[in-house]
Amino acid sequence: QVGGREESLDPTQVRALATDSKETESDLTLPLPEHPDLHRGVLKSNGLRYVVLPNKVPPQRFEAHLEMHVGSVDENERQQ
């Protein structure tokens, strides 16, 4: 639908959409770009992985997000 009205596509447009779809699928295998200021690390004491992204707004503030990889999706064969 375009602007609330039905619109039909000719065969050339259908082929173009199918081609775009295949290109989009191939893009799904590419890694996402990382923010240039992103810092990754691993604590030596316990192996905890961390990611730090500096922020300027709001000033004098720290914001933390905890991401936990737990559950059967993250278990290996021995753990299930």
Side-chain angles (χ1 to χ4, degrees), residues 34-40 51-54:
E34 285 192 356
H35 193 284
D37 295 334
L38 193 72
H39 303 282
R40 293 181 178 272
V51 179
V52 175
L53 179 61

Side-chain angles (χ1 to χ4, degrees), residues 16-78:
L17 287 172
T19 303
D20 288 346
S21 175
K22 289 176 186 172
E23 290 173 9
T24 301
E25 279 185 37
S26 67
D27 288 345
L28 294 175
T29 62
L30 298 174
L32 293 173
E34 285 192 356
H35 193 284
D37 295 334
L38 193 72
H39 303 282
R40 293 181 178 272
V42 178
L43 296 180
K44 292 180 182 178
S45 60
N46 61 9
L48 175 77
R49 292 180 292 171
Y50 63 89
V51 179
V52 175
L53 179 61
N55 65 314
K56 295 179 181 173
V57 178
Q60 304 298 315
R61 284 279 184 85
F62 171 78
E63 184 174 331
H65 299 262
L66 182 59
E67 181 177 321
M68 301 178 69
H69 294 265
V70 298
S72 62
V73 170
D74 294 301
E75 293 175 345
N76 61 32
E77 283 292 320
R78 232 178 58 251

